Amino acid sequence: MTDSALILIHASGARTGFIGCGVLIEGGFIATCRHVWADATAEGSTAEAEFPRAWEGGQPARCGLTLADACHSATGPSPDLVLLRPKMFPKGVFALQLAMHHQFETGAAEAQAMVERPHEGGDNPWQEVTVKGELDDRLGPDERRQFTGAGLQGYWFVRGSSGSPIFKRGGQQLAAILSLSEFGANDRKSSLQEACVIPATVIRRHVERLVAAPVAAAEHLDPAKLAEVLETIGAAGTPVADIPAKLRDFVMAARARAAEPLAPSNDGADITAAIGAARDKLGRFDAAGALAGLTAKLDKEEAARREEEVSRRLRMLPLLAEKAAIERLTYDHAAAKATLRQLLDLAPDAVWKWIELGDLKARRAISRGHSRPFAGR
């Protein structure tokens, strides 16, 4: 199944020939490197996808490609990535799921790549191979990872292998695609045998935005807030096919909740105002802002409750001390000890009250109506 996802990208027209690789992913897109797309469409050429595992009429199936998303970033460097839309899907071709977490795109891995082996002769010098290696767990500032080949091999990646899929050893989800220098820095003359890759989680972020865009447009959701809303609804952990429905449900529910009239309350105008502010933010799909405002108000109320509790306890102390004194002078020592314990629960640092309680425990209780012991002459 993973084999069928490999796509070969050709240029047709002014420039004709094999350019690089791509991979069919969930959502019905083909992910490849930006420079592969640029080469395939240079000088007025058109890009075509070849499906090497799907044959029609004795030849691998081919179809035209259009650019679905240039994957530009508004907040940092744009990845070496584009998402393409094929004009048809041959039978027997399966789209790959994208890794949802970093743990599924690091460690022991295998690349399904195309390499050039001209010394073997033949009309087609390109050959599909499996390259074993290790995906580094460190993500670079350009959001690429390092892929290091395991052991010395008679071949290594060349420009045509850009866009080739990489999987964790034994895994089915796409871990990354190869992203090589346009200047052939990773040719077979290099002894390092290293390449950079675009991780699946980076690819997924752009796929999420792409499949959510029609819903965002239909619901008049600000495109600048789309990434924030997708994070709010947990799109990163949701199958791509389910994201549009999940986004639509959130938008409808948020609008409905924001439109609910505030119920009359005796809790205070500040409470009503906090709820109103939260619903106003929710109406603009700022669920994170709504929750932050409510959390801040709850923290303030909790602090006020604690301050009120401390004040109440301080006001009780002189009353309890007076009560214990009266109970003691009326010889109700059991009641005095109970009152002192209550006082010390509120003020455990009241040293003299501890002494007073110890003094009561040391004395023999004298009940009312009994004669007092002789106090001496």
Side-chain angles (χ1 to χ4, degrees), residues 104-136:
F104 302 120
E105 60 183 22
T106 58
E110 295 179 349
Q112 182 185 347
M114 297 295 291
V115 298
E116 188 176 17
R117 307 189 75 178
H119 59 282
E120 294 189 357
D123 295 333
N124 183 10
W126 298 96
Q127 179 179 348
E128 183 181 331
V129 298
T130 298
V131 181
K132 297 183 184 212
E134 189 85 10
L135 284 166
D136 193 57

Side-chain angles (χ1 to χ4, degrees), residues 263-323:
S265 173
N266 295 323
D267 296 325
D270 58 330
I271 300 296
T272 302
I275 295 173
R279 291 191 182 177
D280 180 63
K281 285 184 171 62
L282 192 60
R284 290 180 274 118
F285 311 114
D286 183 11
L291 291 172
L294 290 171
T295 300
K297 182 60 177 173
L298 285 167
D299 290 344
K300 186 176 180 179
E301 290 298 311
E302 178 62 21
R305 186 195 68 77
R306 288 195 297 266
E307 290 178 4
E308 182 180 348
E309 178 68 15
V310 170
S311 176
R312 184 185 67 80
R313 288 164 63 181
L314 291 174
R315 286 167 57 85
M316 289 175 64
L317 293 178
L319 298 174
L320 289 169
E322 187 67 18
K323 182 170 180 280

Side-chain angles (χ1 to χ4, degrees), residues 52-334:
R53 298 293 194 282
W55 284 55
E56 294 180 354
Q59 296 290 331
R62 290 177 72 149
C63 72
L65 291 169
T66 57
L67 182 65
D69 189 0
C71 300
H72 290 302
S73 174
T75 58
S78 297
D80 182 21
L81 173 70
V82 292
L83 297 175
L84 309 178
R85 197 185 303 275
K87 293 185 178 179
M88 65 93 171
F89 296 96
K91 292 181 180 178
V93 174
F94 299 95
L96 295 176
Q97 284 191 319
L98 295 161
M100 293 184 181
H101 192 274
H102 300 317
Q103 71 187 72
F104 302 120
E105 60 183 22
T106 58
E110 295 179 349
Q112 182 185 347
M114 297 295 291
V115 298
E116 188 176 17
R117 307 189 75 178
H119 59 282
E120 294 189 357
D123 295 333
N124 183 10
W126 298 96
Q127 179 179 348
E128 183 181 331
V129 298
T130 298
V131 181
K132 297 183 184 212
E134 189 85 10
L135 284 166
D136 193 57
D137 58 1
R138 187 182 67 85
L139 196 65
D142 58 356
E143 294 192 296
R144 296 197 292 189
R145 296 188 190 279
Q146 197 81 20
F147 181 76
T148 305
L152 297 175
Q153 295 168 312
Y155 50 79
W156 192 240
F157 299 130
V158 291
R159 184 186 176 102
S161 60
S162 294
S164 297
I166 301 178
F167 307 90
K168 280 202 71 167
R169 199 75 56 79
Q172 296 292 317
Q173 292 183 332
L174 181 70
I177 63 171
L178 282 165
S179 169
L180 305 182
S181 168
E182 293 187 44
F183 303 101
N186 290 297
D187 60 22
R188 283 171 291 181
K189 297 178 182 178
S190 171
S191 61
L192 294 177
Q193 297 201 352
E194 293 180 347
C196 290
V197 304
I198 303 296
T201 51
V202 174
I203 300 172
R204 198 178 201 281
R205 190 168 65 240
H206 291 277
V207 173
E208 290 167 5
R209 186 188 64 189
L210 189 54
V211 300
V215 176
E219 300 294 342
H220 307 291
L221 177 61
D222 185 356
K225 290 187 175 180
L226 181 55
E228 179 184 331
V229 174
L230 289 174
E231 183 178 357
T232 296
I233 66 174
T238 302
V240 167
D242 296 341
I243 290 175
K246 191 171 185 177
L247 176 61
R248 190 177 294 109
D249 290 346
F250 166 75
V251 168
M252 294 176 63
R255 281 185 175 146
R257 182 69 179 178
E260 286 185 18
L262 294 174
S265 173
N266 295 323
D267 296 325
D270 58 330
I271 300 296
T272 302
I275 295 173
R279 291 191 182 177
D280 180 63
K281 285 184 171 62
L282 192 60
R284 290 180 274 118
F285 311 114
D286 183 11
L291 291 172
L294 290 171
T295 300
K297 182 60 177 173
L298 285 167
D299 290 344
K300 186 176 180 179
E301 290 298 311
E302 178 62 21
R305 186 195 68 77
R306 288 195 297 266
E307 290 178 4
E308 182 180 348
E309 178 68 15
V310 170
S311 176
R312 184 185 67 80
R313 288 164 63 181
L314 291 174
R315 286 167 57 85
M316 289 175 64
L317 293 178
L319 298 174
L320 289 169
E322 187 67 18
K323 182 170 180 280
I326 293 174
E327 287 166 343
R328 185 171 182 178
L329 66 85
T330 58
Y331 301 101
D332 191 353
H333 293 164

